[in-house]
Amino acid sequence: MQYQYVVSAHKASSVLASVSGAFTLPEATDLVLAKNNRIEVHTLTAATGQLRQVGDWALNGKISTLHFFHPSDRLTGCILVTSEKFQFAVLSWDAAEQRVVTESTGEFTEVTGRPTTETKIVAVDPLNRVIAVYAYQGI
């Protein structure tokens, strides 16, 4: 009996979503890219005007949406990531250890509604007080 083992040899290269803001340092301008199940963080170097990659990591699940928000009690911002399986994570950057920190995780599930046929819609209040997620119909 013959078996076949198929894997992807390359990381995802198409960008699903991108956000910018002060993610790594308060005075930094960062570009955060979502690629299938990976997140990349690039910092804009002021002297040369070039992007330098500072982080790259994989998530368990396909990324659906990516949003940047800046809580009033923090110097740097956070990223809200939602997945196709109705899960979310709030991520921040630890400047001392140069790594991402998971602030919060969870699921947004509803037993009475049915999932939307369109893509999920996530909106963040400009004053960073509330996050709204549209993922179900008929509620």
Short mmCIF file of all heavy atoms in Angstrom, two decimals, residues 74-131:
data_model
loop_
_atom_site.label_atom_id
_atom_site.label_comp_id
_atom_site.label_asym_id
_atom_site.label_seq_id
_atom_site.Cartn_x
_atom_site.Cartn_y
_atom_site.Cartn_z
N ARG A 74 -2.09 52.30 28.58
CA ARG A 74 -0.86 51.66 28.08
C ARG A 74 -0.10 52.61 27.18
O ARG A 74 -0.67 53.48 26.53
CB ARG A 74 -1.20 50.41 27.29
CG ARG A 74 -1.94 49.35 28.09
CD ARG A 74 -2.23 48.17 27.21
NE ARG A 74 -0.98 47.57 26.79
CZ ARG A 74 -0.59 46.35 27.14
NH1 ARG A 74 -1.36 45.63 27.91
NH2 ARG A 74 0.54 45.86 26.73
N LEU A 75 1.21 52.42 27.12
CA LEU A 75 2.04 53.23 26.23
C LEU A 75 2.04 52.69 24.81
O LEU A 75 2.19 53.45 23.85
CB LEU A 75 3.48 53.28 26.76
CG LEU A 75 3.67 53.98 28.11
CD1 LEU A 75 5.11 53.85 28.58
CD2 LEU A 75 3.27 55.45 28.00
N THR A 76 1.89 51.38 24.66
CA THR A 76 1.84 50.77 23.33
C THR A 76 0.46 50.17 23.10
O THR A 76 -0.31 49.97 24.04
CB THR A 76 2.90 49.67 23.18
OG1 THR A 76 2.69 48.68 24.19
CG2 THR A 76 4.30 50.23 23.30
N GLY A 77 0.18 49.86 21.87
CA GLY A 77 -1.13 49.33 21.52
C GLY A 77 -1.19 47.82 21.57
O GLY A 77 -0.20 47.13 21.83
N CYS A 78 -2.38 47.31 21.31
CA CYS A 78 -2.65 45.86 21.28
C CYS A 78 -3.27 45.50 19.94
O CYS A 78 -3.77 46.36 19.23
CB CYS A 78 -3.61 45.48 22.40
SG CYS A 78 -2.98 45.75 24.06
N ILE A 79 -3.23 44.21 19.65
CA ILE A 79 -3.82 43.71 18.42
C ILE A 79 -4.91 42.71 18.77
O ILE A 79 -4.70 41.83 19.60
CB ILE A 79 -2.76 43.02 17.55
CG1 ILE A 79 -1.72 44.02 17.09
CG2 ILE A 79 -3.39 42.36 16.35
CD1 ILE A 79 -0.56 43.39 16.39
N LEU A 80 -6.07 42.87 18.14
CA LEU A 80 -7.16 41.91 18.28
C LEU A 80 -7.15 41.04 17.02
O LEU A 80 -7.25 41.55 15.91
CB LEU A 80 -8.50 42.61 18.41
CG LEU A 80 -9.73 41.70 18.35
CD1 LEU A 80 -9.80 40.81 19.58
CD2 LEU A 80 -10.99 42.51 18.20
N VAL A 81 -7.02 39.73 17.21
CA VAL A 81 -7.00 38.77 16.12
C VAL A 81 -8.19 37.85 16.28
O VAL A 81 -8.43 37.33 17.37
CB VAL A 81 -5.71 37.93 16.13
CG1 VAL A 81 -5.68 36.96 14.98
CG2 VAL A 81 -4.49 38.81 16.12
N THR A 82 -8.98 37.67 15.22
CA THR A 82 -10.06 36.69 15.25
C THR A 82 -9.76 35.61 14.21
O THR A 82 -9.12 35.87 13.20
CB THR A 82 -11.43 37.32 14.96
OG1 THR A 82 -11.45 37.84 13.63
CG2 THR A 82 -11.75 38.42 15.94
N SER A 83 -10.25 34.40 14.50
CA SER A 83 -10.00 33.29 13.60
C SER A 83 -11.30 32.86 12.92
O SER A 83 -12.39 33.27 13.31
CB SER A 83 -9.40 32.10 14.36
OG SER A 83 -10.40 31.47 15.12
N GLU A 84 -11.16 32.01 11.92
CA GLU A 84 -12.31 31.48 11.19
C GLU A 84 -13.19 30.61 12.08
O GLU A 84 -14.36 30.41 11.79
CB GLU A 84 -11.84 30.67 9.98
CG GLU A 84 -11.16 31.49 8.91
CD GLU A 84 -12.13 32.34 8.13
OE1 GLU A 84 -13.30 31.94 7.97
OE2 GLU A 84 -11.72 33.42 7.69
N LYS A 85 -12.66 30.06 13.14
CA LYS A 85 -13.39 29.17 14.06
C LYS A 85 -13.98 29.93 15.24
O LYS A 85 -14.18 29.36 16.31
CB LYS A 85 -12.47 28.06 14.56
CG LYS A 85 -11.92 27.18 13.48
CD LYS A 85 -12.97 26.25 12.96
CE LYS A 85 -12.36 25.28 11.96
NZ LYS A 85 -13.30 24.36 11.43
N PHE A 86 -14.24 31.24 15.09
CA PHE A 86 -14.90 32.07 16.09
C PHE A 86 -14.11 32.15 17.39
O PHE A 86 -14.67 32.12 18.48
CB PHE A 86 -16.33 31.59 16.36
CG PHE A 86 -17.18 31.59 15.13
CD1 PHE A 86 -17.41 30.42 14.42
CD2 PHE A 86 -17.73 32.76 14.65
CE1 PHE A 86 -18.18 30.42 13.28
CE2 PHE A 86 -18.50 32.78 13.51
CZ PHE A 86 -18.72 31.61 12.82
N GLN A 87 -12.81 32.26 17.29
CA GLN A 87 -11.95 32.46 18.45
C GLN A 87 -11.28 33.81 18.31
O GLN A 87 -11.16 34.35 17.22
CB GLN A 87 -10.90 31.36 18.53
CG GLN A 87 -11.49 29.98 18.71
CD GLN A 87 -10.47 28.88 18.54
OE1 GLN A 87 -9.49 29.03 17.84
NE2 GLN A 87 -10.72 27.76 19.19
N PHE A 88 -10.82 34.37 19.44
CA PHE A 88 -10.13 35.65 19.40
C PHE A 88 -8.94 35.63 20.35
O PHE A 88 -8.86 34.80 21.26
CB PHE A 88 -11.07 36.81 19.76
CG PHE A 88 -11.46 36.85 21.21
CD1 PHE A 88 -10.70 37.55 22.13
CD2 PHE A 88 -12.59 36.18 21.65
CE1 PHE A 88 -11.06 37.57 23.47
CE2 PHE A 88 -12.96 36.21 22.98
CZ PHE A 88 -12.18 36.90 23.90
N ALA A 89 -8.02 36.55 20.11
CA ALA A 89 -6.87 36.74 20.99
C ALA A 89 -6.50 38.22 20.97
O ALA A 89 -6.58 38.87 19.93
CB ALA A 89 -5.69 35.90 20.54
N VAL A 90 -6.14 38.73 22.13
CA VAL A 90 -5.62 40.09 22.25
C VAL A 90 -4.12 39.94 22.52
O VAL A 90 -3.72 39.32 23.51
CB VAL A 90 -6.31 40.88 23.36
CG1 VAL A 90 -5.68 42.25 23.52
CG2 VAL A 90 -7.80 40.99 23.08
N LEU A 91 -3.31 40.51 21.64
CA LEU A 91 -1.86 40.37 21.71
C LEU A 91 -1.19 41.70 21.97
O LEU A 91 -1.64 42.74 21.47
CB LEU A 91 -1.32 39.77 20.40
CG LEU A 91 -1.98 38.50 19.90
CD1 LEU A 91 -1.45 38.15 18.52
CD2 LEU A 91 -1.75 37.37 20.87
N SER A 92 -0.11 41.67 22.73
CA SER A 92 0.71 42.87 22.95
C SER A 92 2.18 42.46 22.82
O SER A 92 2.50 41.29 22.69
CB SER A 92 0.43 43.48 24.33
OG SER A 92 0.84 42.60 25.35
N TRP A 93 3.06 43.44 22.86
CA TRP A 93 4.50 43.20 22.67
C TRP A 93 5.24 43.49 23.96
O TRP A 93 5.05 44.53 24.58
CB TRP A 93 5.02 44.09 21.54
CG TRP A 93 6.44 43.85 21.19
CD1 TRP A 93 7.52 44.57 21.58
CD2 TRP A 93 6.95 42.80 20.36
NE1 TRP A 93 8.66 44.05 21.06
CE2 TRP A 93 8.33 42.95 20.29
CE3 TRP A 93 6.35 41.75 19.67
CZ2 TRP A 93 9.14 42.09 19.56
CZ3 TRP A 93 7.15 40.91 18.95
CH2 TRP A 93 8.53 41.07 18.89
N ASP A 94 6.09 42.56 24.38
CA ASP A 94 6.96 42.74 25.54
C ASP A 94 8.30 43.26 25.03
O ASP A 94 9.08 42.50 24.45
CB ASP A 94 7.14 41.42 26.29
CG ASP A 94 7.93 41.56 27.57
OD1 ASP A 94 8.44 42.68 27.85
OD2 ASP A 94 8.06 40.56 28.29
N ALA A 95 8.58 44.54 25.23
CA ALA A 95 9.79 45.16 24.70
C ALA A 95 11.05 44.64 25.38
O ALA A 95 12.11 44.56 24.75
CB ALA A 95 9.71 46.67 24.83
N ALA A 96 10.95 44.25 26.64
CA ALA A 96 12.13 43.76 27.36
C ALA A 96 12.59 42.42 26.82
O ALA A 96 13.79 42.19 26.65
CB ALA A 96 11.82 43.65 28.85
N GLU A 97 11.66 41.52 26.53
CA GLU A 97 12.01 40.19 26.05
C GLU A 97 11.89 40.04 24.54
O GLU A 97 12.16 38.96 24.00
CB GLU A 97 11.15 39.14 26.74
CG GLU A 97 11.40 39.07 28.24
CD GLU A 97 10.70 37.89 28.88
OE1 GLU A 97 10.38 36.92 28.16
OE2 GLU A 97 10.46 37.96 30.09
N GLN A 98 11.44 41.09 23.85
CA GLN A 98 11.29 41.09 22.39
C GLN A 98 10.43 39.92 21.91
O GLN A 98 10.81 39.16 21.02
CB GLN A 98 12.67 41.04 21.71
CG GLN A 98 13.50 42.26 21.93
CD GLN A 98 12.91 43.47 21.24
OE1 GLN A 98 12.66 43.43 20.04
NE2 GLN A 98 12.69 44.54 21.96
N ARG A 99 9.24 39.78 22.51
CA ARG A 99 8.34 38.70 22.12
C ARG A 99 6.90 39.16 22.30
O ARG A 99 6.62 40.12 23.00
CB ARG A 99 8.60 37.42 22.91
CG ARG A 99 8.31 37.55 24.38
CD ARG A 99 8.55 36.23 25.11
NE ARG A 99 8.11 36.32 26.49
CZ ARG A 99 6.90 36.03 26.92
NH1 ARG A 99 5.98 35.61 26.08
NH2 ARG A 99 6.58 36.14 28.19
N VAL A 100 6.00 38.44 21.68
CA VAL A 100 4.57 38.74 21.78
C VAL A 100 4.02 38.13 23.06
O VAL A 100 4.48 37.08 23.51
CB VAL A 100 3.82 38.24 20.53
CG1 VAL A 100 3.74 36.74 20.50
CG2 VAL A 100 2.45 38.84 20.45
N VAL A 101 3.04 38.81 23.65
CA VAL A 101 2.39 38.35 24.87
C VAL A 101 0.89 38.25 24.59
O VAL A 101 0.30 39.17 24.03
CB VAL A 101 2.64 39.33 26.04
CG1 VAL A 101 1.88 38.90 27.28
CG2 VAL A 101 4.11 39.47 26.33
N THR A 102 0.29 37.14 24.98
CA THR A 102 -1.15 36.96 24.83
C THR A 102 -1.84 37.53 26.06
O THR A 102 -1.69 37.00 27.15
CB THR A 102 -1.50 35.48 24.65
OG1 THR A 102 -0.77 34.96 23.54
CG2 THR A 102 -2.99 35.30 24.42
N GLU A 103 -2.57 38.61 25.88
CA GLU A 103 -3.26 39.26 26.99
C GLU A 103 -4.57 38.55 27.34
O GLU A 103 -4.93 38.43 28.49
CB GLU A 103 -3.56 40.73 26.66
CG GLU A 103 -2.34 41.56 26.36
CD GLU A 103 -1.57 41.93 27.60
OE1 GLU A 103 -2.15 41.92 28.70
OE2 GLU A 103 -0.37 42.21 27.47
N SER A 104 -5.28 38.10 26.30
CA SER A 104 -6.58 37.47 26.51
C SER A 104 -6.90 36.58 25.32
O SER A 104 -6.51 36.87 24.19
CB SER A 104 -7.66 38.54 26.66
OG SER A 104 -8.93 37.97 26.81
N THR A 105 -7.64 35.49 25.58
CA THR A 105 -8.13 34.62 24.52
C THR A 105 -9.55 34.18 24.86
O THR A 105 -9.99 34.29 26.00
CB THR A 105 -7.27 33.35 24.35
OG1 THR A 105 -7.32 32.61 25.56
CG2 THR A 105 -5.84 33.68 24.00
N GLY A 106 -10.25 33.71 23.87
CA GLY A 106 -11.60 33.22 24.12
C GLY A 106 -12.31 32.89 22.83
O GLY A 106 -11.72 32.87 21.75
N GLU A 107 -13.60 32.61 22.98
CA GLU A 107 -14.46 32.29 21.84
C GLU A 107 -15.69 33.19 21.88
O GLU A 107 -16.14 33.58 22.95
CB GLU A 107 -14.93 30.84 21.91
CG GLU A 107 -13.85 29.82 21.81
CD GLU A 107 -14.39 28.41 21.88
OE1 GLU A 107 -15.63 28.23 21.90
OE2 GLU A 107 -13.58 27.49 21.92
N PHE A 108 -16.20 33.51 20.71
CA PHE A 108 -17.49 34.18 20.64
C PHE A 108 -18.44 33.25 19.91
O PHE A 108 -18.47 33.15 18.71
CB PHE A 108 -17.43 35.58 20.02
CG PHE A 108 -16.63 35.69 18.76
CD1 PHE A 108 -17.23 35.57 17.53
CD2 PHE A 108 -15.27 35.93 18.80
CE1 PHE A 108 -16.50 35.66 16.36
CE2 PHE A 108 -14.54 36.04 17.65
CZ PHE A 108 -15.14 35.90 16.43
N THR A 109 -19.19 32.49 20.71
CA THR A 109 -20.13 31.52 20.17
C THR A 109 -21.54 31.87 20.58
O THR A 109 -21.77 32.46 21.62
CB THR A 109 -19.79 30.10 20.66
OG1 THR A 109 -19.81 30.09 22.08
CG2 THR A 109 -18.45 29.65 20.17
N GLU A 110 -22.47 31.50 19.74
CA GLU A 110 -23.89 31.77 19.98
C GLU A 110 -24.68 30.54 19.54
O GLU A 110 -24.51 30.08 18.42
CB GLU A 110 -24.33 33.00 19.20
CG GLU A 110 -25.79 33.32 19.27
CD GLU A 110 -26.26 33.63 20.69
OE1 GLU A 110 -25.54 34.31 21.41
OE2 GLU A 110 -27.36 33.16 21.04
N VAL A 111 -25.51 30.02 20.42
CA VAL A 111 -26.23 28.79 20.09
C VAL A 111 -27.51 29.06 19.30
O VAL A 111 -27.97 28.19 18.57
CB VAL A 111 -26.58 27.99 21.37
CG1 VAL A 111 -25.31 27.49 22.02
CG2 VAL A 111 -27.39 28.81 22.34
N THR A 112 -28.10 30.25 19.41
CA THR A 112 -29.37 30.52 18.73
C THR A 112 -29.18 31.07 17.32
O THR A 112 -30.07 30.92 16.49
CB THR A 112 -30.23 31.49 19.54
OG1 THR A 112 -29.51 32.72 19.71
CG2 THR A 112 -30.57 30.91 20.89
N GLY A 113 -28.08 31.72 17.05
CA GLY A 113 -27.87 32.30 15.72
C GLY A 113 -27.15 31.34 14.80
O GLY A 113 -26.66 30.31 15.20
N ARG A 114 -27.09 31.71 13.54
CA ARG A 114 -26.32 30.93 12.58
C ARG A 114 -25.17 31.81 12.07
O ARG A 114 -25.32 33.03 11.96
CB ARG A 114 -27.21 30.45 11.44
CG ARG A 114 -27.82 31.53 10.60
CD ARG A 114 -28.76 30.95 9.55
NE ARG A 114 -29.29 31.99 8.72
CZ ARG A 114 -30.34 32.75 9.04
NH1 ARG A 114 -30.96 32.55 10.18
NH2 ARG A 114 -30.75 33.69 8.22
N PRO A 115 -24.04 31.21 11.76
CA PRO A 115 -22.90 32.00 11.30
C PRO A 115 -23.23 32.80 10.03
O PRO A 115 -24.01 32.35 9.20
CB PRO A 115 -21.82 30.95 11.01
CG PRO A 115 -22.22 29.78 11.84
CD PRO A 115 -23.72 29.80 11.89
N THR A 116 -22.63 33.95 9.90
CA THR A 116 -22.86 34.78 8.72
C THR A 116 -22.31 34.10 7.48
O THR A 116 -21.34 33.34 7.54
CB THR A 116 -22.18 36.15 8.86
OG1 THR A 116 -20.77 35.94 8.99
CG2 THR A 116 -22.70 36.92 10.03
N THR A 117 -22.94 34.38 6.37
CA THR A 117 -22.43 33.86 5.10
C THR A 117 -21.32 34.76 4.57
O THR A 117 -20.52 34.33 3.76
CB THR A 117 -23.56 33.76 4.06
OG1 THR A 117 -24.19 35.05 3.93
CG2 THR A 117 -24.58 32.72 4.49
N GLU A 118 -21.30 36.01 5.02
CA GLU A 118 -20.23 36.93 4.64
C GLU A 118 -19.08 36.77 5.63
O GLU A 118 -19.13 35.97 6.54
CB GLU A 118 -20.73 38.39 4.67
CG GLU A 118 -21.90 38.67 3.78
CD GLU A 118 -23.23 38.42 4.47
OE1 GLU A 118 -23.31 38.55 5.70
OE2 GLU A 118 -24.19 38.08 3.77
N THR A 119 -18.06 37.57 5.45
CA THR A 119 -16.95 37.55 6.39
C THR A 119 -17.36 38.23 7.69
O THR A 119 -18.30 39.03 7.73
CB THR A 119 -15.72 38.27 5.81
OG1 THR A 119 -16.09 39.63 5.51
CG2 THR A 119 -15.22 37.59 4.57
N LYS A 120 -16.64 37.92 8.74
CA LYS A 120 -16.91 38.56 10.03
C LYS A 120 -16.57 40.04 9.94
O LYS A 120 -15.65 40.43 9.23
CB LYS A 120 -16.07 37.92 11.12
CG LYS A 120 -16.43 36.51 11.42
CD LYS A 120 -15.49 35.99 12.49
CE LYS A 120 -15.49 34.51 12.54
NZ LYS A 120 -15.00 33.86 11.35
N ILE A 121 -17.33 40.84 10.68
CA ILE A 121 -17.06 42.28 10.75
C ILE A 121 -16.70 42.61 12.18
O ILE A 121 -17.43 42.27 13.11
CB ILE A 121 -18.27 43.10 10.29
CG1 ILE A 121 -18.63 42.76 8.85
CG2 ILE A 121 -17.99 44.59 10.45
CD1 ILE A 121 -19.92 43.39 8.38
N VAL A 122 -15.55 43.25 12.37
CA VAL A 122 -15.11 43.67 13.70
C VAL A 122 -14.90 45.17 13.65
O VAL A 122 -14.25 45.70 12.74
CB VAL A 122 -13.80 42.96 14.10
CG1 VAL A 122 -13.32 43.45 15.44
CG2 VAL A 122 -14.00 41.46 14.12
N ALA A 123 -15.45 45.87 14.64
CA ALA A 123 -15.30 47.33 14.72
C ALA A 123 -14.79 47.69 16.11
O ALA A 123 -15.26 47.16 17.11
CB ALA A 123 -16.63 48.02 14.46
N VAL A 124 -13.81 48.60 16.15
CA VAL A 124 -13.25 49.07 17.41
C VAL A 124 -13.64 50.54 17.56
O VAL A 124 -13.44 51.34 16.65
CB VAL A 124 -11.72 48.91 17.43
CG1 VAL A 124 -11.13 49.43 18.74
CG2 VAL A 124 -11.33 47.46 17.22
N ASP A 125 -14.19 50.87 18.72
CA ASP A 125 -14.56 52.24 19.03
C ASP A 125 -13.32 53.14 18.95
O ASP A 125 -12.26 52.76 19.45
CB ASP A 125 -15.16 52.27 20.44
CG ASP A 125 -15.48 53.67 20.93
OD1 ASP A 125 -15.88 54.51 20.10
OD2 ASP A 125 -15.34 53.91 22.14
N PRO A 126 -13.40 54.32 18.32
CA PRO A 126 -12.23 55.22 18.22
C PRO A 126 -11.65 55.62 19.58
O PRO A 126 -10.47 55.90 19.69
CB PRO A 126 -12.77 56.45 17.49
CG PRO A 126 -13.96 55.95 16.75
CD PRO A 126 -14.54 54.85 17.56
N LEU A 127 -12.48 55.59 20.62
CA LEU A 127 -11.98 55.91 21.96
C LEU A 127 -11.53 54.65 22.70
O LEU A 127 -11.21 54.71 23.89
CB LEU A 127 -13.06 56.64 22.76
CG LEU A 127 -13.49 57.98 22.18
CD1 LEU A 127 -14.60 58.60 23.01
CD2 LEU A 127 -12.32 58.93 22.07
N ASN A 128 -11.54 53.51 22.02
CA ASN A 128 -11.08 52.23 22.56
C ASN A 128 -11.84 51.79 23.80
O ASN A 128 -11.27 51.23 24.73
CB ASN A 128 -9.58 52.28 22.84
CG ASN A 128 -8.79 52.56 21.60
OD1 ASN A 128 -8.97 51.88 20.60
ND2 ASN A 128 -7.94 53.55 21.65
N ARG A 129 -13.14 52.02 23.81
CA ARG A 129 -13.97 51.62 24.95
C ARG A 129 -14.68 50.31 24.70
O ARG A 129 -14.99 49.59 25.66
CB ARG A 129 -15.01 52.70 25.24
CG ARG A 129 -14.42 54.03 25.67
CD ARG A 129 -15.50 55.04 25.80
NE ARG A 129 -16.14 55.21 24.48
CZ ARG A 129 -17.08 56.08 24.21
NH1 ARG A 129 -17.53 56.87 25.16
NH2 ARG A 129 -17.58 56.18 23.01
N VAL A 130 -14.97 49.98 23.43
CA VAL A 130 -15.75 48.79 23.13
C VAL A 130 -15.31 48.22 21.77
O VAL A 130 -14.86 48.95 20.90
CB VAL A 130 -17.26 49.11 23.13
CG1 VAL A 130 -17.63 50.03 21.99
CG2 VAL A 130 -18.10 47.86 23.11
N ILE A 131 -15.44 46.89 21.65
CA ILE A 131 -15.18 46.19 20.41
C ILE A 131 -16.44 45.43 20.04
O ILE A 131 -16.99 44.72 20.86
CB ILE A 131 -13.99 45.21 20.56
CG1 ILE A 131 -12.71 45.98 20.88
CG2 ILE A 131 -13.82 44.37 19.30
CD1 ILE A 131 -11.55 45.10 21.25
#
